[in-house]
Amino acid sequence: MDFPDAETVDAALSERTLPTFARVSYDPPTPELDDVRGATREAVASLPLGDVPDGGTVAVGLGSRGIDAIDRIAGTVVEALSDRGYDPVVVPAMGSHGGATPAGQRRTLASLGVTEETLGGPIDARMATDCVGTTDRGHEVHVANAALDADGILVVNRVKAHTNFTGRVESGLCKMLAVGLGKRAGAGAFHDAALADGYVETIERALDVIRANAPVLGGVAVVENFYDETAIVEGIPAGDLPAAEERLLERSKRYMPTLPFDDLDVLVVEEIGKDVSGTGMDTNVVGRYRVLNAADPETPDIDRIVVLGLTEATHGNGHGIGLADLTTTDVANELDLDQMYTNALTSGSLSKSHLPLALPSDRHAIQAAVDSIGAYDPETARIAWIRDTGHLSSFRISEALCEEAGDPLAVERRERLAFDEDGSPTFSPL
């Protein structure tokens, strides 16, 4: 695809003076777990392992999210099961992620530090599934053969607000069992049903089918704090789902990283990626779901979102770029459309893989953002500039937002924004 060159774009943009910025730190009170390994061993011990025969195989489902200490948590789960005489095998429970191939799902786990070497046990990444039953709405529920071949199944996942919907269960153990463990076939069937009947309802119906027809033990739930550090590790038996997960979801929302502003003219995001969020950037931070049959969050209200790059760990999977209004041609050329289209078509979230306006440089993208918000004044422009939606302890804000800064938001230094000859941004102290 040929994009407009710099000369063409410059001719279409107005000259805009950008505001000065301030680097701020954001430090709300938040809990942290001191002994992650110890809490993980206790979580495993709380599950009904007696349902598994001596020496039996336990499938451990792991996802594609960048969970803090997931390598230590997963390794400890495998170790704890082995110490009790069981034969653990890790099964990627990530739906169609990793391009919906065994190699891709292994690579996704490896990017999180999870390999057979670090686990001390095997990974079975087969994509084949069996339909284990049908809900009363006609939704065929799939589970990976690699999990069904085991004598017991447990999943390890973070409990947090989802990026497409709200309800008493969102992202966590229930969703991993109902969607992730079903690989591509199960994820596709789930999303078809969810678009018609609702996400929460479809998760709960699928969970009932899976518990009735597969040897599900439960899961190890992780809750993270504002800094994406481990705050809680808890074992939840299958019979206690979804109620026990609902309780943890309420706690996770109190710790969730969010911007301390409800209204922005422009949000600049340096990087998006699957390691940050399933949608590249957390929809609860940017205030956009863009999903059929689900209203966008009321806050924050952001007029323009600019994305300047992809994380290295996302391997070109820019699913979620469609939540932005503007990006650069460098980002567009880095996109792996095979992975993105697989995600979009499986989930039904087509708009998240749409391509926003791709401009020749960061300078052009940012200038276009402020040029397209209507009446503009650098003294009153409300602009936030973040690394990604998972790291909000330190970021930049325009001068107008500094007037709202206060505990736990603290201004560290004022900075001037400039662009080098390639159009890349530079900040220097005032």
Side-chain angles (χ1 to χ4, degrees):
M1 180 184 295
D2 292 327
F3 296 102
D5 59 20
E7 183 178 356
T8 300
V9 174
D10 281 329
L13 291 175
S14 302
E15 286 290 335
R16 300 288 189 186
T17 300
L18 292 171
T20 56
F21 284 81
R23 166 71 76 172
V24 297
S25 59
Y26 188 32
D27 188 24
T30 189
E32 181 180 0
L33 185 62
D34 291 330
D35 184 4
V36 174
R37 284 177 54 84
T40 303
R41 294 188 74 90
E42 290 179 8
V44 173
S46 71
L47 300 177
L49 297 175
D51 294 346
V52 180
D54 292 342
T57 302
V58 178
V60 179
L62 297 180
S64 59
R65 307 299 184 230
I67 300 171
D68 178 56
I70 188 57
D71 52 343
R72 280 188 291 149
I73 293 171
T76 303
V77 170
V78 169
E79 180 184 86
L81 291 170
S82 296
D83 288 348
R84 288 172 171 265
Y86 300 113
D87 185 16
V89 56
V90 165
V91 177
M94 58 183 74
S96 65
H97 296 179
T101 67
Q105 298 208 337
R106 281 177 171 272
R107 185 177 66 244
T108 299
L109 288 181
S111 71
L112 304 175
V114 178
T115 65
E116 291 184 341
E117 289 71 28
T118 61
L119 288 169
I123 296 174
D124 188 339
R126 285 178 288 161
M127 295 299 296
T129 67
D130 278 339
C131 175
V132 296
T134 304
T135 70
D136 58 3
R137 302 289 292 179
H139 163 210
E140 291 189 350
V141 180
H142 287 252
V143 174
N145 287 351
L148 292 173
D149 288 347
D151 299 297
I153 301 169
L154 68 87
V155 292
V156 181
N157 201 17
R158 175 177 54 198
V159 175
K160 65 181 289 290
H162 198 268
T163 54
N164 280 359
F165 62 90
T166 57
R168 73 175 188 138
V169 290
E170 298 184 29
S171 183
L173 304 182
C174 295
K175 182 172 179 291
M176 179 173 277
L177 287 165
V179 187
L181 203 60
K183 300 288 186 171
R184 181 175 184 174
F190 168 85
H191 286 291
D192 286 345
L195 289 174
D197 300 326
Y199 283 86
V200 176
E201 296 83 354
T202 304
I203 288 172
E204 293 191 17
R205 291 188 184 105
L207 178 64
D208 288 341
V209 171
I210 292 170
R211 281 190 299 200
N213 298 284
V216 179
L217 304 171
V220 175
V222 180
V223 174
E224 294 184 350
N225 63 22
F226 177 84
Y227 299 102
D228 293 330
E229 300 164 337
T230 307
I232 300 169
V233 178
E234 184 173 311
I236 301 180
D240 292 345
L241 294 170
E245 184 174 318
E246 181 180 10
R247 171 178 50 80
L248 290 180
L249 177 62
E250 291 173 358
R251 294 183 67 178
S252 76
K253 288 185 176 181
R254 296 201 296 269
Y255 311 150
M256 183 173 65
T258 55
L259 289 165
F261 304 104
D262 290 338
D263 178 37
L264 293 173
D265 296 320
V266 177
L267 174 65
V268 179
V269 183
E270 292 182 358
E271 291 184 326
I272 68 169
K274 299 293 286 186
D275 53 317
V276 176
S277 171
T279 53
M281 47 184 161
D282 193 324
T283 56
N284 298 290
V285 173
V286 303
R288 298 179 179 181
Y289 287 161
R290 293 189 175 170
V291 175
L292 290 176
N293 301 325
D296 282 350
E298 292 186 6
T299 58
D301 181 13
I302 303 173
D303 294 334
R304 292 286 183 260
I305 297 176
V306 183
V307 168
L308 302 181
L310 305 178
T311 64
E312 182 178 352
T314 204
H315 302 293
N317 189 340
H319 184 64
I321 192 76
L323 296 171
D325 303 292
L326 297 142
T327 189
T328 69
T329 54
D330 283 348
V331 173
N333 290 325
E334 192 179 346
L335 296 173
D336 183 335
L337 297 183
D338 287 351
Q339 293 193 72
M340 290 173 59
Y341 282 26
T342 297
N343 266 192
L345 294 171
T346 302
S347 67
S349 297
L350 305 186
S351 64
K352 290 190 178 69
S353 282
H354 286 180
L355 184 65
L357 250 63
L359 300 181
S361 70
D362 294 353
R363 175 181 69 82
H364 290 101
I366 293 164
Q367 289 281 3
V370 300
D371 197 32
S372 61
I373 59 173
Y376 171 76
D377 180 348
E379 300 295 323
T380 60
R382 301 172 61 83
I383 303 174
W385 188 304
I386 64 175
R387 169 184 158 188
D388 59 57
T389 58
H391 294 85
L392 298 178
S393 60
S394 179
F395 53 95
R396 293 183 174 92
I397 57 175
S398 59
E399 192 66 36
L401 292 175
C402 289
E403 299 176 4
E404 301 176 24
D407 188 46
L409 191 69
V411 175
E412 295 180 345
R413 63 179 182 273
R414 257 63 174 191
E415 296 179 326
R416 179 181 291 107
L417 170 63
F419 296 94
D420 63 21
E421 60 183 14
D422 296 323
S424 298
T426 61
F427 287 92
S428 58
L430 285 175

